[in-house]
Amino acid sequence: MSETGTEPPSPVRRLPDPARAPNVRHNPSLAELRELATPDETKTEFGSPSYVSEFRSRSADLTKNDIDDEFGPDDYAIVDRAVDTASEREMLCMDRLMGRHPDATFCCRLFVPVEYARIALAWANLFEPTDGREPDLYTIQLPDHDETAIRVLPDDGFTAVLGSDYTGEAKKSFLRLFMYRVKQLGGLGLHAGSKRVRVRDGDGEMRIVGQLFMGLSATGKSTLTSHGCWLEEPEDAVMLQDDVCALLPDGSVAGSEGQGLFIKTIGLSEDEQPGLYRAATADSAILENVDVDADGSVDFDSDRYTANSRAIVQRDELESADPEIDLDRVDQVFFITRNPLMPPVAKLDEEQAAVAFMLGESIETSAGDPERAGESIRVVGTNPFIVGPQGEEGNAFRDLIAALDVDCYVINTGYLGDESNDVGVRESVTILTEAARGTIEWTRDERTGLTIPASVPGIDIDQYAVPDHVDDYDNAAATLRRERREYLESFDRLDPEIRDAVY
């Protein structure tokens, strides 16, 4: 707050006008950006640029917004510092469109110092060029600031990123506010991939199914979203969106990133993920913190810099990517977990689905907190970018899927019990394909308390019974349910009916 006890004027009003400011280069071409970034580039064997940043993951613990966190003079001083610097220093200013849906398209403006052109280059390759409209959302990123701090003013549409040169901070600064703005429209922003599947059902009739995949980074969300499901015409499966989208009240799902994807590359395999591998080895890709030798040799298996190595890849390099990014209607939602007490798949009722949304159970990855990588974690909506009360998000999710009659599932892409009982890509893809077909037979399992498959075409599902792979399963499951209930009770705005549905 200012000395008068009121919030200071919006920083947006004080940003430099790129059309007049002599210190700002406005919307240079991608070729010009790459030329500016040449001093930081290692050219790969594929002809693509590779860069190494000092920061290799988001600084989540140093991020505050003025809705959920206490904001004082020091916080507003950080915002002022960013605006003042953007007005004085030689800056790049890039405008891009996020989304295409008529109700959920926003113009984004990124300011970054010329010396960090690689950030502008990477970010600009994720979103489509502007159509000339005025910006809705703004970010200033100052990587070489002497302290690290990210401050967000959601209602102003403004983010200041100080002291981090990680491209993901620029990307998520806008996606965070995309989801916030959509919530104000009565929808719900989701950290999710979207997919359209066209298959024959059990009667041989063609059907089109819209699927969403909700999961934290490195749980298999990109793999499942982009997988073609080994289908042949007239059947097919196409990816619409990989990371963040918005479920709207009419059942449509608005995409956000229209040009590129920001994928993890550690362990990227041509055999397991052929589409993503081809895109990451195209000359249009941009690698970040990938192990690239001086001669350009690329090693996707190496964590030389970080396990959170990344690539910006172009949608048009992915055979499974549809030209469209919006889904006409969602029919199925899959919550991706790696909890070893969960079956390969379970079908959820509306309250259970809201429980799964609130639990957001997974394994911490290097993208979120490198020091906790491998630990079991819970993140509401598998979405670390929620602005506003989290319990209300669970209520909104339950109400939306109930009104839209959406089927929900939890799918385990990890292992059962221990690592010797792995649920592979083949099994996971088969499950989501047969769920789309409607050919899975379901049964209520009293021991697990879940609705699980009695049969899945192409899988011997009996060998994936969780109690057979977990020592003292009943005690472990009871402990898990108790922990889940205690966790849900921490959200005072969550409807009691959802807390009571814990599984």
Side-chain angles (χ1 to χ4, degrees), residues 273-292:
Q273 303 141 299
L276 292 176
Y277 182 87
R278 283 194 296 271
T281 55
D283 61 6
S284 59
I286 300 171
L287 305 190
E288 184 174 87
N289 301 321
V290 176
D291 188 350
V292 180

Side-chain angles (χ1 to χ4, degrees), residues 302-316:
S302 169
D303 60 357
R304 173 183 173 188
Y305 298 112
T306 175
N308 190 36
S309 52
R310 294 277 181 167
I312 291 87
V313 301
Q314 296 301 290
R315 289 177 59 90
D316 57 15

Side-chain angles (χ1 to χ4, degrees), residues 76 116 128 155 226 290 295 318 352 398 430 433 453:
Y76 288 111
Y116 292 89
E128 295 173 296
D155 289 325
S226 65
V290 176
D295 65 359
L318 283 164
Q352 287 177 324
R398 187 269 317 273
T430 299
T433 304

Side-chain angles (χ1 to χ4, degrees), residues 252-459:
S252 63
V253 179
S256 57
E257 295 169 291
Q259 184 164 312
L261 289 71
F262 191 50
I263 67 168
K264 281 180 70 74
T265 60
I266 193 73
L268 191 61
S269 164
E270 187 172 11
D271 292 331
E272 289 288 328
Q273 303 141 299
L276 292 176
Y277 182 87
R278 283 194 296 271
T281 55
D283 61 6
S284 59
I286 300 171
L287 305 190
E288 184 174 87
N289 301 321
V290 176
D291 188 350
V292 180
D293 286 342
D295 65 359
S297 300
V298 177
D299 185 353
F300 289 129
D301 292 322
S302 169
D303 60 357
R304 173 183 173 188
Y305 298 112
T306 175
N308 190 36
S309 52
R310 294 277 181 167
I312 291 87
V313 301
Q314 296 301 290
R315 289 177 59 90
D316 57 15
E317 297 286 355
L318 283 164
E319 292 182 5
S320 63
D322 196 75
E324 298 298 321
I325 66 171
D326 298 330
L327 183 63
D328 290 338
R329 173 179 169 79
V330 62
D331 301 290
Q332 299 175 338
V333 174
F334 292 85
F335 295 95
I336 305 174
T337 185
R338 292 201 166 179
N339 188 317
L341 293 179
M342 295 305 295
V345 67
K347 191 172 185 179
L348 309 174
D349 63 28
E350 291 159 3
E351 273 73 31
Q352 287 177 324
V355 168
F357 179 92
M358 292 300 300
L359 291 175
E361 287 182 335
S362 190
I363 303 296
E364 181 62 271
T365 74
S366 53
D369 186 345
E371 294 183 359
R372 296 181 57 203
E375 293 182 17
S376 297
I377 59 168
R378 295 187 174 114
V379 178
V380 173
T382 64
N383 180 8
F385 311 102
I386 291 173
V387 175
Q390 294 181 325
E392 291 182 357
E393 296 258 330
N395 301 337
F397 178 81
R398 187 269 317 273
D399 294 345
L400 279 168
I401 63 169
L404 298 170
D405 194 25
V406 176
D407 291 329
C408 295
Y409 310 83
V410 58
I411 184 168
N412 184 357
T413 60
Y415 53 86
L416 314 180
D418 60 52
E419 295 183 16
S420 65
N421 307 299
D422 182 58
V423 182
V425 173
R426 186 190 72 83
E427 288 79 15
S428 295
V429 171
T430 299
I431 286 168
L432 67 92
T433 304
E434 298 306 325
R437 294 187 196 279
T439 53
I440 298 178
E441 295 183 5
W442 300 94
T443 185
R444 175 72 177 178
D445 182 63
E446 295 304 324
R447 192 170 181 190
T448 63
L450 293 167
T451 299
I452 62 174
S455 67
V456 180
I459 299 178

Side-chain angles (χ1 to χ4, degrees), residues 30 96 120-127 259-260 284 286 312-314:
L30 297 179
R96 286 293 186 269
L121 174 65
W123 179 80
N125 269 277
L126 292 168
F127 301 99
Q259 184 164 312
S284 59
I286 300 171
I312 291 87
V313 301
Q314 296 301 290

